[in-house]
Amino acid sequence: MLFTENILVALAGLKANIMRSLLTMLGIIIGIASVIAIMTVGNSITLIVNTTMQDLGANNLEMGVVQRSIDEEQTDTGTSYGAGYVREMTDDDLISPEMVEAFRKEYPDDLKYIIMQEQIGTYADQGKVTEGNKNANVKIMGYNSDYFQFKDIKLIDGRKFLNRDFRDAKKVCLVTDKLVERIYDGDNDAAIGQEIEVNLNGSYYKYHIVGVYEYVQDQFSFGVSDNPVTELVIPYETARNENHKQNKGYEYFTLVTSVNTDNDTFATTVRDYFNVNFYSQNDAYEIAVISMASMMDSMNTMINMIQLALSVIAGISLVVGGIGVMNIMLVSITERTKEIGTRKALGATNGSIRLQFITESVVICLIGGIIGIVCGCGLGMLAVKLMGYDAVISVSSIVIAVGFSMAIGIFFGYYPANKAAKLNPIDALRYE
Amino acid sequence: MENSNIMLDLRDIHKSFFIGTPNEFEVLHGVNFSVNKGEFVSIVGQSGSGKSTLMNIIGALDRPTAGEYTLDGIDIEKAKDHELSILRNKKIGFVFQTYNLIARTNALKNVELPMMYAGMGRSERTERAKMLLEQVGMTDRMMHNPDELSGGQKQRVAIARAMANDPAIILADEPTGALDSATGRLIMDIFHRLHEEQGKTIVLITHSPELSLETERIITLKDGSIIGQSEGTWNKNAKEVG
Ligand SMILES: Nc1ncnc2c1ncn2[C@@H]1O[C@H](COP(=O)(O)OP(=O)(O)OP(=O)(O)O)[C@@H](O)[C@H]1O
Ligand SMILES: [Mg+2]
């Protein structure tokens, strides 16, 4: 009862000094808004990264040839090359097809697939298919047969690759329905059997279309484009030929393990297998294996750290805002000394005066907090939208923000309120 | 027997103010007097004679430096601060020269305030506040804030507020000091009514000899001491009317 009365008094006071109240709240608004915005952006990015990695296969192991680490260099008693010995990677350092075969035979139970991919050109390269005045953007990706068993590509028309396509490095390809829509007016039958020509970095690549598969929008793409870059899929061996790697080994590939395999243990097993059997004599290179799960973990830790660091900085503005509230409360109490004296004459106890002013400071902080939450959500959502993703607003951060602004109100309101409560009634009444 | 009829009793009350080392400035030099229940007393004296200081002690807003003060049987000296708060809330109704209404709070809410501090329920106190405002003729302005009221209107609201918890005693420090004589008359009539009809004990400080004469007893203060007490004319008037 006294409580609602106090809130009404506080609101009336704020209304009487709207400009002053707003300026006072500004610190709280900015602080809460930045924290909420940072949380929104951080949480959204975490979610996006995690779903993307999940899509790539959270249970996968990535393995590849890396520089020998300095530590192992020193324990190497055979040949001393000195710490940090570096040289260019040669074909002899790569993982040969024979090694892969031996490896496959060694772990038939744990190993489900070995996925290999080869892109024509570099990662950022984009090819163009032109047909009269129609065109479509593509990147040419070669995948091995394991890839097609692991990932389900939704074939709409035509056929998938056959064993001989891989074995003989046939110049065949699968295209997306999106490409068919742009080049062949959506007529799959017209597309299949056609030879398609891709201009990439000034070179022309030609493939026979054998199938059409469904285009799925990339999670990293910005908004919806009507001319997205779609994958023109060719057999792995074909891609290797185009890149003149036909007789070379592999630098890195992905392992898909079976469900019952403990990936962390298996990663060590695989690393040791390769390093003991094939790389013990290598002076500068060795094999490293990392699991996607641990990569995801370290990624999440990193995002959380950044988020925390930014939040701490934003939190400082909250403290500054709190001091602003304390300052204005002290001013308000001085201005209202006579009122405090009158209230005491009418029978207000120290406790009720204290409660009145703490309520007032909490009301200021809470209103500031709510405005901050609204601004922060808006800002965060806008930022995430601009990056091209859907924003995730975390309810917990809103609840924490509300609680936090109330806590600031109580913390920074207590001292002024207590000062008011302790005023001697007669001194307060006589105050001019 | 005699005790039960006494509302307040002051014995050898001294009050000094500390105005920087080593000075102590004594304002009241041993004041003795008592007021009976239902009595209407006025305190007069020159400016600076210590009237307000005495009133603050009577109203339990301040404690005497030395002496004994009993209010309605309660020894003020022994009471703790929060007990004094409750005492002011329940037993005393203050009327100030400067009205002291709470800003940005309408007349009704101002009158409700002491009842709120007393813990009275919302609907009950609103009803009582309306009744009190009606008694001082302020019904039509009860939703107005203090800055929308005239001095006389503010003082009427202040009297209604003083009556909120049906106090044992009303203390008024120059309630008509800031008002013209006609408005002052109106305020004075309200005090008379409270005294006559509700039997309230009233202590009134005034600079006006005419107004003080209207009370039952006049206490004259000079330089912090009582120099005389005389009867007013109120009794005679009442008898004439009766
Ligand atoms: N808090 C204080 N500190 C120092 N001196 C004070 C204090 N309060 C009152 N005095 C002094 O006490 C004396 C009596 O003051 P008081 O207010 O009681 O006079 P008063 O009789 O009410 O005068 P007036 O008729 O002008 O209101 C004055 O000289 C005043 O300066
Ligand atoms: Mg005075």
Side-chain angles (χ1 to χ4, degrees):
Chain A
M1 160 202 61
L2 206 64
F3 186 68
T4 48
E5 218 58 54
N6 280 339
I7 290 176
L8 291 178
V9 169
L11 288 176
L14 294 185
K15 223 176 89 189
N17 291 305
I18 288 181
M19 194 62 192
R20 187 168 99 179
S21 313
L22 273 176
L23 288 174
T24 306
M25 286 173 195
L26 209 56
I28 305 287
I29 294 174
I30 292 171
I32 295 279
S34 357
V35 171
I36 294 280
I38 291 162
M39 295 297 246
T40 307
V41 173
N43 289 348
S44 306
I45 289 178
T46 308
L47 192 81
I48 291 156
V49 166
N50 286 353
T51 44
T52 308
M53 290 186 124
Q54 211 86 48
D55 263 16
L56 294 175
N59 289 316
N60 295 0
L61 296 176
E62 299 289 331
M63 69 172 281
V65 182
V66 296
Q67 291 265 350
R68 197 173 267 283
S69 64
I70 294 164
D71 272 339
E72 274 180 68
E73 201 77 33
Q74 286 164 337
T75 58
D76 182 3
T77 46
T79 8
S80 176
Y81 298 101
Y85 180 81
V86 179
R87 62 166 172 77
E88 287 275 317
M89 195 188 286
T90 67
D91 291 352
D92 291 338
D93 296 319
L94 298 173
I95 306 164
S96 69
E98 293 74 35
M99 292 181 201
V100 175
E101 275 323 298
F103 172 51
R104 260 194 218 273
K105 290 208 181 82
E106 189 75 23
Y107 302 102
D109 295 334
D110 289 317
L111 203 56
K112 265 179 92 181
Y113 308 114
I114 298 179
I115 293 174
M116 301 191 181
Q117 58 179 52
E118 181 86 26
Q119 182 174 359
I120 309 264
T122 60
Y123 182 76
D125 282 344
Q126 219 183 81
K128 205 167 200 91
V129 177
T130 317
E131 190 72 50
N133 56 359
K134 302 167 201 161
N135 68 77
N137 296 322
V138 294
K139 54 181 177 181
I140 308 173
M141 295 295 299
Y143 294 114
N144 68 348
S145 58
D146 278 25
Y147 175 87
F148 295 95
Q149 290 172 55
F150 168 63
K151 192 127 189 168
D152 64 1
I153 280 190
K154 213 167 174 190
L155 200 70
I156 300 171
D157 240 318
R159 64 166 176 88
K160 292 194 172 177
F161 294 150
L162 305 172
N163 278 336
R164 62 182 154 90
D165 292 326
F166 293 109
R167 193 185 58 227
D168 303 339
K170 287 269 174 62
K171 294 224 170 202
V172 289
C173 71
L174 302 175
V175 295
T176 56
D177 50 353
K178 196 86 192 171
L179 180 134
V180 173
E181 185 188 309
R182 289 190 61 87
I183 305 286
Y184 303 103
D185 303 319
D187 185 350
N188 292 340
D189 292 336
I192 292 167
Q194 291 291 322
E195 183 167 71
I196 192 168
E197 191 181 55
V198 183
N199 178 358
L200 193 143
N201 291 342
S203 307
Y204 288 89
Y205 299 88
K206 288 180 183 171
Y207 306 100
H208 270 105
I209 301 173
V210 294
V212 179
Y213 72 96
E214 191 182 70
Y215 167 69
V216 182
Q217 198 186 334
D218 193 332
Q219 293 204 351
F220 285 115
S221 64
F222 286 52
V224 182
S225 156
D226 54 41
N227 192 8
V229 181
T230 68
E231 283 191 2
L232 189 137
V233 177
I234 60 175
Y236 180 69
E237 285 71 13
T238 313
R240 300 268 296 173
N241 284 352
E242 307 273 28
N243 282 350
H244 309 292
K245 287 183 179 173
Q246 48 269 59
N247 297 315
K248 293 183 184 175
Y250 315 107
E251 197 181 335
Y252 52 82
F253 44 77
T254 305
L255 308 178
V256 179
T257 57
S258 56
V259 232
N260 300 323
T261 303
D262 172 22
N263 270 358
D264 285 336
T265 324
F266 191 60
T268 320
T269 312
V270 172
R271 190 194 64 202
D272 292 347
Y273 171 80
F274 272 90
N275 286 338
V276 168
N277 292 311
F278 309 118
Y279 281 81
S280 59
Q281 296 306 311
N282 196 308
D283 56 349
Y285 289 91
E286 62 178 359
I287 296 296
V289 184
I290 49 166
S291 75
M292 274 304 242
S294 66
M295 224 159 88
M296 222 154 98
D297 276 356
S298 50
M299 196 93 159
N300 283 342
T301 316
M302 201 179 74
I303 294 172
N304 285 345
M305 289 284 284
I306 294 170
Q307 214 173 331
L308 188 73
L310 290 175
S311 298
V312 165
I313 294 168
I316 292 170
S317 87
L318 271 182
V319 173
V320 175
I323 293 169
V325 171
M326 178 149 121
N327 183 40
I328 219 68
M329 287 306 296
L330 287 170
V331 171
S332 158
I333 280 160
T334 308
E335 278 176 357
R336 286 152 72 184
T337 304
K338 209 180 175 95
E339 174 190 323
I340 294 164
T342 306
R343 285 177 184 273
K344 289 198 158 190
L346 297 178
T349 57
N350 291 4
S352 51
I353 297 289
R354 193 181 299 121
L355 185 67
Q356 180 191 337
F357 285 101
I358 287 182
T359 307
E360 188 163 322
S361 127
V362 169
V363 165
I364 293 176
C365 290
L366 209 55
I367 293 176
I370 288 165
I371 297 175
I373 288 169
V374 172
C375 294
C377 285
L379 229 74
M381 277 162 72
L382 189 73
V384 177
K385 270 267 139 60
L386 285 178
M387 291 189 279
Y389 309 127
D390 281 331
V392 203
I393 287 174
S394 91
V395 179
S396 65
S397 68
I398 290 176
V399 172
I400 292 170
V402 169
F404 210 73
S405 32
M406 281 177 79
I408 288 174
I410 293 170
F411 185 81
F412 288 100
Y414 186 83
Y415 170 72
N418 203 41
K419 201 176 153 191
K422 281 188 177 156
L423 280 175
N424 181 326
I426 200 67
D427 290 342
L429 268 175
R430 286 174 58 96
Y431 183 84
E432 297 284 347
Chain B
M1 265 170 73
E2 189 200 36
N3 252 1
S4 65
N5 198 34
I6 289 180
M7 177 59 77
L8 54 93
D9 185 41
L10 294 102
R11 301 254 153 146
D12 199 23
I13 295 290
H14 289 259
K15 178 70 189 178
S16 326
F17 289 106
F18 180 74
I19 49 166
T21 33
N23 306 322
E24 286 256 322
F25 177 51
E26 190 167 89
V27 176
L28 298 177
H29 319 285
V31 173
N32 286 290
F33 79 94
S34 59
V35 175
N36 291 331
K37 284 183 179 165
E39 206 179 356
F40 191 171
V41 177
S42 60
I43 299 175
V44 297
Q46 284 169 346
S47 191
S49 57
K51 304 184 296 293
S52 295
T53 305
L54 181 61
M55 188 67 112
N56 293 335
I57 289 170
I58 296 172
L61 285 166
D62 211 354
R63 290 172 189 270
T65 317
E68 280 168 37
Y69 170 36
T70 329
L71 173 71
D72 205 12
I74 299 161
D75 189 346
I76 296 299
E77 208 182 340
K78 295 203 181 92
K80 297 195 180 73
D81 277 356
H82 78 100
E83 287 168 338
L84 290 187
S85 296
I86 296 167
L87 190 96
R88 289 193 294 267
N89 185 238
K90 299 257 158 87
K91 296 232 181 248
I92 300 164
F94 288 97
V95 179
F96 303 95
Q97 179 177 359
T98 49
Y99 327 118
N100 291 24
L101 296 183
I102 305 294
R104 296 186 293 273
T105 305
N106 66 31
L108 188 68
K109 283 253 160 23
N110 259 287
V111 177
E112 280 184 39
L113 206 57
M115 296 184 265
M116 191 182 88
Y117 286 129
M120 192 186 283
R122 186 188 300 276
S123 57
E124 196 186 348
R125 67 176 192 245
T126 306
E127 202 177 314
R128 179 163 168 79
K130 282 181 181 163
M131 187 270 282
L132 290 167
L133 282 167
E134 195 190 322
Q135 284 182 6
V136 294
M138 287 295 294
T139 305
D140 53 337
R141 319 233 52 187
M142 65 186 183
M143 290 306 169
H144 289 250
N145 285 355
D147 56 4
E148 298 159 348
L149 299 174
S150 74
Q153 288 169 333
K154 281 192 241 194
Q155 200 58 300
R156 282 190 273 162
V157 174
I159 294 171
R161 185 177 68 180
M163 292 296 295
N165 286 329
D166 196 16
I169 181 167
I170 291 179
L171 300 179
D173 191 347
E174 294 182 49
T176 61
L179 302 173
D180 64 42
S181 56
T183 315
R185 179 72 260 150
L186 202 127
I187 297 298
M188 204 55 198
D189 288 343
I190 294 174
F191 282 120
H192 280 302
R193 243 176 42 222
L194 292 175
H195 177 228
E196 269 176 70
E197 293 169 10
Q198 301 186 28
K200 286 278 167 243
T201 311
I202 301 175
V203 177
L204 169 78
I205 292 179
T206 180
H207 274 127
S208 152
E210 303 93 66
L211 292 185
S212 70
L213 275 172
E214 287 179 28
T215 64
E216 291 174 306
R217 182 152 59 106
I218 304 155
I219 296 168
T220 310
L221 214 56
K222 186 168 192 241
D223 296 334
S225 303
I226 293 176
I227 54 160
Q229 302 201 23
S230 58
E231 272 203 15
T233 55
W234 183 85
N235 268 335
K236 284 182 219 153
N237 288 344
K239 272 168 201 155
E240 276 168 24
V241 172

